[in-house]
């Protein structure tokens, strides 16, 4: 069976940019900035972009195209080829299929809320909510967490979920060129236009409340952009670090506090999430390139499109609007992404002329951003079934659909028990850093930097500055190992031992973990079966 | 918003937009 190909360079760039530009740009980025001190967050953010984001982008594009040349679209086959057919390395690649499936499951459900809210905006269904508390009640009832005058059950949310899920699956079933590429070609320009319209409207709000002229868009922009070095350095903790002897965990904790490690971790996590690196989707997308197609410039173009959408557009909508209408205190108290996106923004947009239209623009923009990302999350598993088990695309999409449809129900009905957060941590946070670390070490150390650098520049339209060779080999892996260790100490261990988990949530969370372990084991078994098939004379067709 | 904030914001926007436009133009010029 002939491998599918993108129609051209622009097609793959739009698809990768579509994958990268998602809820992370317009919701997670402002949410992270609010939670991590605004101006203090931006400095580590750009450091992480240059030392982690761009290198990983180039690494994934190169590994993807390289693996595609051997008929592999997913990480197990690619890692197997990179590591000279080492029999164990392919199992690390399972993370590159597991992660996208796990993220797809909860991401699609959140995406369906956006579809629902865009309809609600046009029909003015949340217009009776005039404060944060009533918006919370509206959202909670929609998600089935409570019953009230807005919703008496999950039926509405479930209907929007079914539509969103079917649309995702339909696009993936149409294939690379006729499905994914075609959707991204139309969705991305529309998304940019909507975001620019919203940004212009927000930036021209000025000071909406004459009684509080200090609440204005510039105070929001100032929060995000006034550089704040003080929050990146804690002198007292540094003194404690110097006084403590040896290399004890206490001393490391002082060092982390001195450098404000939490902000650096948040910035690095945001870079992973926003650029869609460390997930496995770019590997799969790049595998549909021809062996001599450029990857260096294409990777840079996709990354810079994502940064325009995140830093310029994403940074100029939610935060300035929220500061102008509610002031810094209220915004800093409600900095979670769901608060900003589903409560603060609808309240702000309600106060404008043409409120239904702007409300629709906001949620439709997020829905489009979401769908171009979720289809990319579906692709690795579908491609794995196609490549390694010779399933037809529609069959592979159907199998993927059946498994993820079941998993989605865990998230839908276990939302109040913290199932979504559990999926997000293992699939969308820890999994990304772990996978990024593995692929960076494989690329720079196992495949070898000389071969890696040559491979990266095959057919290249630009020459990447030579110091990136050094960054890819030394700086990126060390940065990743530090982040991975810090994640384990800071979030992983408390999470693993269920610290701070209320007793009523213990069982659902443990069950979720068992499901996730079983899913991983199933995927590892499929990899083992696929390679056994290939080794047998009948399988090697 | 402080003067340093304006410089940081507009400088960053300029760098990102320049990189994006440059990359896009080069992509179109060598479009294959």
């Amino acid at each position: 069976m002939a491998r599918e190909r993108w129609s051209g360079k622009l097609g793959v760039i739009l698809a990768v940019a579509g994958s990268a530009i998602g809820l992370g740009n317009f919701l997670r980025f402002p949410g992270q900035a609010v939670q991590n001190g605004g101006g203090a967050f931006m400095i580590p953010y750009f450091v992480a972009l240059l030392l982690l984001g761009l290198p990983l982008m180039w690494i994934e594009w190169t590994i993807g195209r390289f693996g595609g040349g051997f008929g592999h679209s997913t990480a197990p086959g690619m890692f197997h080829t990179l590591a000279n057919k080492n029999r164990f390395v392919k199992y690390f690649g399972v993370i590159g299929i597991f992660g996208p499936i796990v993220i797809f499951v909860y991401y699609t459900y959140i995406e369906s809320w956006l579809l629902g809210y865009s309809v609600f905006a046009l029909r003015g269904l949340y217009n009776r909510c005039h404060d944060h508390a009533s918006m919370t009640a509206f959202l909670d009832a929609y998600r089935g967490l409570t019953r009230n005058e807005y919703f008496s059950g999950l039926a509405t949310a479930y209907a929007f979920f079914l539509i969103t899920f079917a649309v995702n699956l339909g696009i993936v079933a149409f294939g690379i060129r006729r499905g994914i590429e075609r959707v991204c070609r139309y969705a991305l320009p529309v998304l940019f236009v909507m975001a620019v319209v919203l940004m212009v409207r927000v930036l021209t709000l000025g000071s909406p409340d004459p009684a509080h002229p200090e609440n204005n868009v510039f105070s929001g922009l100032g929060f995000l952009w006034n550089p704040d070095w003080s929050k990146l350095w804690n002198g007292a903790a540094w003194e404690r670090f110097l006084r403590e002897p040896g290399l004890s965990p206490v001393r490391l904790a002082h060092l982390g506090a001195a450098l404000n490690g939490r902000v650096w971790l948040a910035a690095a996590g945001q870079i992973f999430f926003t650029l869609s690196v460390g997930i496995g989707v770019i590997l799969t997308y790049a595998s549909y390139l021809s062996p001599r197609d450029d990857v260096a410039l294409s990777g840079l173009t996709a990354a810079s499109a994502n940064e325009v959408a995140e830093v310029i557009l994403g940074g100029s909508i939610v935060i300035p609007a929220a500061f102008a209408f509610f002031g810094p205190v209220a915004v800093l108290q409600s900095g979670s992404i769901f608060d900003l996106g589903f409560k603060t923004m609808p309240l702000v947009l309600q106060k404008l002329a043409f409120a239904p239209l702007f409300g629709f623009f906001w949620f439709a923009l997020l829905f489009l951003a979401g769908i171009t990302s979720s289809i990319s999350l579906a692709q690795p598993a579908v491609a794995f079934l196609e490549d390694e088990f010779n399933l037809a695309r529609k069959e592979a999409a159907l199998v993927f659909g059946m498994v993820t449809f079941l998993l989605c129900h865990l998230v839908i009905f276990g939302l109040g028990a913290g199932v979504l957060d559990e999926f997000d941590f293992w699939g969308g946070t820890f999994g990304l850093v772990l996978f990024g670390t593995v692929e960076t070490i494989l690329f720079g150390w196992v495949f070898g930097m000389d071969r890696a650098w040559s491979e990266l520049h095959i057919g290249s339209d630009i020459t990447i500055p030579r110091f990136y060779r050094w960054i890819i080999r030394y700086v990126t892996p060390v940065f990743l190992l530090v982040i991975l260790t810090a994640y384990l100490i800071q979030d992983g261990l408390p999470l693993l031992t269920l610290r701070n988990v209320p007793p009523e949530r213990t069982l659902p969370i443990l069950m979720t973990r068992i499901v996730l372990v079983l899913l991983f084991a199933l995927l590892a078994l499929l990899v083992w079966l696929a390679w056994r098939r290939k080794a047998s004379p009948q399988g090697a067709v | 918003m402080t003067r340093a904030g304006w410089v940081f914001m507009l400088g960053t926007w300029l760098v990102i937009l320049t990189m994006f436009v440059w990359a896009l133009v080069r992509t179109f010029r060598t479009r294959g």
Side-chain angles (χ1 to χ4, degrees):
Chain A
M1 197 164 30
R3 270 183 83 71
E4 276 195 277
R5 296 269 180 230
W6 301 102
S7 67
K9 204 189 287 177
L10 196 65
V12 63
I13 290 171
L14 282 171
V16 173
S19 168
I21 299 170
L23 305 185
N25 300 58
F26 298 98
L27 280 184
R28 198 177 188 274
F29 172 70
Q32 289 289 319
V34 165
Q35 286 164 17
N36 291 287
F41 176 76
M42 295 307 285
I43 299 156
Y45 174 87
F46 288 117
V47 173
L49 172 68
L50 295 174
L51 299 183
L52 285 183
L54 286 179
L56 276 165
M57 199 79 175
W58 282 319
I59 289 172
E60 293 201 355
W61 276 78
T62 311
I63 295 180
R65 185 189 58 179
F66 177 77
F70 292 89
H72 297 296
S73 305
T74 46
M78 291 174 185
F79 287 5
H80 185 70
T81 316
L82 270 184
N84 296 323
K85 308 203 169 173
N86 176 296
R87 56 197 289 210
F88 298 111
V89 168
K90 57 182 174 287
Y91 295 104
F92 283 104
V94 172
I95 312 168
I97 307 172
F98 170 82
I101 292 178
V102 172
I103 304 173
F104 176 86
V105 166
Y106 70 84
Y107 202 90
T108 315
Y109 186 43
I110 299 173
E111 201 177 293
S112 73
W113 306 350
L114 297 162
L115 182 63
Y117 267 66
S118 27
V119 175
F120 301 160
L122 279 180
R123 297 186 56 202
L125 286 193
Y126 55 67
N127 283 359
R128 281 179 291 154
C129 307
H130 295 295
D131 54 28
H132 204 263
S134 52
M135 272 296 177
T136 304
F138 187 91
L139 179 63
D140 284 351
Y142 174 72
R143 298 184 298 179
L145 299 178
T146 179
R147 285 166 188 234
N148 53 32
E149 71 270 33
Y150 305 113
F151 299 98
S152 57
L154 255 175
T156 314
Y158 196 76
F160 281 113
F161 161 71
L162 288 179
I163 297 168
T164 308
F165 192 86
V167 170
N168 270 285
L169 218 59
I171 295 169
V172 174
F174 268 102
I176 288 293
R177 200 183 284 196
R178 288 174 55 225
I180 294 172
E181 187 180 325
R182 189 182 286 176
V183 167
C184 291
R185 267 181 194 274
Y186 291 106
L188 274 195
V190 173
L191 181 156
F192 264 89
V193 170
M194 283 176 153
V196 170
V197 169
L198 277 168
M199 176 181 152
V200 170
R201 184 65 198 96
V202 167
L203 293 184
T204 49
L205 282 173
S207 311
D209 184 357
H212 293 282
E214 72 280 9
N215 293 345
N216 55 59
V217 288
F218 297 114
S219 63
L221 287 175
F223 169 76
L224 192 60
W225 290 103
N226 290 339
D228 190 353
W229 298 97
S230 67
K231 286 190 183 140
L232 293 179
W233 180 251
N234 181 337
W238 178 250
E239 289 294 321
R240 285 195 292 276
F241 166 72
L242 290 178
R243 276 200 302 272
E244 192 79 30
L247 201 68
S248 65
V250 177
R251 192 168 192 220
L252 288 176
H254 289 322
L255 180 64
L259 298 170
N260 204 349
R262 198 166 268 280
V263 177
W264 286 88
L265 282 183
Q270 177 59 22
I271 284 297
F272 266 93
F273 201 87
T274 187
L275 288 176
S276 286
V277 290
I279 302 177
V281 298
I282 295 177
L283 296 180
T284 300
Y285 274 8
S287 76
Y288 300 108
L289 290 167
S290 301
R292 296 204 63 82
D293 279 344
D294 157 86
V295 292
L297 178 61
S298 302
L300 188 68
T301 312
S304 50
N306 179 71
E307 289 312 300
V308 171
E310 176 148 304
V311 175
I312 300 180
L313 301 172
S316 307
I317 297 176
V318 176
I319 292 182
F323 268 70
F325 278 98
F326 301 107
V329 178
V331 175
L332 293 176
Q333 279 171 353
S334 60
S336 86
I337 66 164
F338 293 140
D339 277 2
L340 287 172
F342 290 93
K343 300 170 193 173
T344 308
M345 274 307 279
L347 284 172
V348 166
L349 297 171
Q350 257 180 35
K351 298 175 196 289
L352 305 179
F354 307 109
L357 190 66
F358 281 116
F360 172 75
F361 264 40
W362 170 242
F363 288 112
L365 154 78
L366 291 177
F367 178 71
L368 282 180
I371 205 155
T372 53
S373 301
S374 56
I375 52 178
S376 76
L377 294 165
Q379 187 58 26
V382 172
F384 174 73
L385 293 171
E386 281 184 286
D387 286 352
E388 315 297 356
F389 289 93
N390 296 329
L391 257 63
R393 167 159 280 273
K394 288 194 168 57
E395 288 169 356
L398 192 66
V399 173
F400 170 81
M402 288 193 293
V403 174
T404 49
F405 186 72
L406 287 176
L407 288 172
C408 282
H409 286 75
L410 273 180
V411 174
I412 296 171
F413 294 102
L415 191 71
V419 174
L420 192 151
D421 297 334
E422 200 66 18
F423 270 61
D424 181 43
F425 181 80
W426 296 109
T429 308
F430 181 72
L432 309 192
V433 185
L434 181 64
F435 188 70
T437 310
V438 170
E439 63 186 1
T440 306
I441 292 171
L442 273 176
F443 188 73
W445 291 86
V446 177
F447 190 56
M449 203 56 226
D450 289 335
R451 282 174 76 195
W453 194 253
S454 307
E455 183 66 35
L456 170 57
H457 281 92
I458 291 174
S460 175
D461 292 332
I462 55 167
T463 305
I464 295 169
R466 251 191 110 67
F467 59 81
Y468 260 105
R469 220 183 121 106
W470 186 78
I471 289 176
I472 289 174
R473 189 163 163 84
Y474 299 105
V475 180
T476 309
V478 170
F479 200 157
L480 284 165
L481 286 170
V482 170
I483 291 170
L484 199 60
T485 314
Y487 258 145
L488 278 173
I489 294 170
Q490 188 176 288
D491 293 323
L493 286 181
L495 210 86
L496 210 59
T497 52
L498 296 173
R499 212 181 293 164
N500 307 326
V501 173
E504 70 275 12
R505 282 191 173 192
T506 309
L507 188 64
I509 287 181
L510 282 177
M511 301 249 311
T512 308
R513 284 182 192 175
I514 291 170
V515 170
L516 291 177
V517 169
L518 286 176
L519 176 67
F520 193 92
L522 174 71
L523 291 169
L525 181 70
L526 287 178
V527 169
W528 179 77
L529 277 174
W531 260 259
R532 210 177 70 147
R533 269 181 88 239
K534 281 183 207 173
S536 72
Q538 297 97 322
V541 182
Chain B
M1 193 166 176
T2 63
R3 183 188 291 244
W6 279 109
V7 171
F8 188 25
M9 182 181 89
L10 294 177
T12 306
W13 284 19
L14 187 68
V15 170
I16 289 175
L17 274 175
T18 307
M19 190 166 83
F20 176 58
V21 172
W22 174 82
L24 209 59
V25 168
R26 279 207 70 149
T27 299
F28 273 109
R29 278 174 54 187
T30 55
R31 195 168 163 184

